[in-house]
Amino acid sequence: MHKLTNRTPLSEAQEDYLKQVLLLGSGGEGPGRLEDTHPVSTQSLADQMQVKPASVTGMLKKLAALGLVEYEAYRGVRLTEAGYRVALEVLRHHRLIEAYLHEALGYGWEEVHAEAEKLEHHISEAFEERIAEWLGHPSHDPHGDAIPSATLELPPTTPNRRLSALEHGVRGLVARVATQDQDSLNLLAHLGLKPGAALQLLEQVAEGSRIQVGKERYLLPMSLAQVLWVHLEGGPHDG
């Protein structure tokens, strides 16, 4: 658990809320600068945390009293600078653990999220640094999500786009897979669609995105095309 002051430890639930406010407020593109985040609705948090809106309201009032969020009823919630730093630290723990489980212990990329959710609140700063050093201080986790540095800085961003929003003919590299659904990750891995994989978009159709990966062609369902983020290599794109 993280400490707000010398006497005020944060609970796992409080840390989870701060992390989700950061992720939801970043609009699905991964965490960015605090000033670029937008307010998050109580209902969005309730859906994500799988709790009742009344429970969310109660937690947000507690976090606001601690100076970690700015909250007004019906106007949503945003992180303060202090809350933003706590959220980044929890995210760093989570994603370093994912990378360590994947690279050191042989966990599949579809398995690491659930384990990291349990462990992220309990590792010490010394253990965090040991993991980071063993991994070579990675900038991204197995899904292509950015890992905040030890000083809570985010790696430079690249102009990635959702596959579902691109125009036909573009080529690029898979940069990020924005889902933790195990079955979806298993399918994407089977198709060779992990971060770093090269692909070409052949066409967009009602059912999804028709792509080529190496010598293989696939019609990727829209639900998967929307979670696949691509770093473009050139050619037409969605702006």
Side-chain angles (χ1 to χ4, degrees):
M1 297 183 186
H2 302 274
K3 289 188 176 181
L4 180 60
T5 70
N6 290 336
R7 298 179 180 274
T8 312
L10 297 178
S11 69
E12 292 182 27
Q14 288 171 324
E15 292 180 357
D16 283 336
Y17 270 87
L18 293 172
K19 181 178 70 172
Q20 292 305 328
V21 171
L22 174 59
L23 293 175
L24 291 171
S26 301
E29 298 186 28
R33 298 178 302 171
L34 177 59
E35 56 267 31
D36 294 331
T37 61
H38 57 74
V40 177
S41 71
T42 300
Q43 188 62 56
S44 294
L45 268 175
D47 292 342
Q48 183 66 28
M49 306 293 290
Q50 298 184 329
V51 298
K52 295 180 179 179
S55 298
V56 173
T57 300
M59 176 61 80
L60 294 181
K61 289 179 178 178
K62 292 178 183 177
L63 293 173
L66 292 171
L68 297 173
V69 302
E70 297 173 352
Y71 171 65
E72 290 184 57
Y74 310 110
R75 293 194 175 186
V77 59
R78 299 186 70 162
L79 297 173
T80 63
E81 181 65 35
Y84 177 70
R85 292 186 66 80
V86 172
L88 284 179
E89 188 174 354
V90 177
L91 208 58
R92 172 173 168 79
H93 283 190
H94 181 100
R95 292 177 176 175
L96 278 174
I97 290 168
E98 286 194 342
Y100 185 76
L101 291 172
H102 185 59
E103 295 189 28
L105 302 183
Y107 277 67
W109 75 331
E110 77 283 359
E111 299 175 293
V112 295
H113 177 73
E115 292 288 353
E117 284 285 290
K118 302 170 188 174
L119 297 171
E120 64 188 22
H121 306 286
H122 303 293
I123 67 172
S124 67
E125 302 308 304
F127 188 53
E128 169 202 311
E129 179 55 30
R130 286 289 187 94
I131 291 175
E133 186 174 350
W134 189 90
L135 292 167
H137 301 282
S139 60
H140 293 81
D141 73 8
H143 310 102
D145 287 316
I147 300 175
S149 70
T151 56
L152 304 183
E153 300 292 328
L154 291 164
T157 58
T158 55
N160 303 326
R161 300 287 186 273
R162 292 181 192 268
L163 177 62
S164 60
L166 301 181
E167 297 177 3
H168 70 276
V170 300
R171 297 176 183 272
L173 302 176
V174 176
R176 178 171 168 254
V177 179
T179 181
Q180 298 298 342
D181 179 74
Q182 291 192 352
D183 295 333
S184 297
L185 290 171
N186 275 330
L187 176 57
L188 291 170
H190 181 72
L191 299 178
L193 291 170
K194 285 189 171 186
L199 62 79
Q200 180 180 11
L201 176 62
L202 302 177
E203 64 174 337
Q204 300 282 19
V205 295
E207 296 85 358
S209 301
R210 197 179 304 280
I211 61 173
Q212 183 156 347
V213 183
K215 296 182 179 179
E216 301 293 335
R217 291 165 54 111
Y218 308 115
L219 176 57
L220 205 62
M222 184 60 68
S223 60
L224 292 182
Q226 290 177 337
V227 301
L228 210 63
W229 290 75
V230 179
H231 178 63
L232 304 178
E233 293 185 334
H237 57 78
D238 66 336

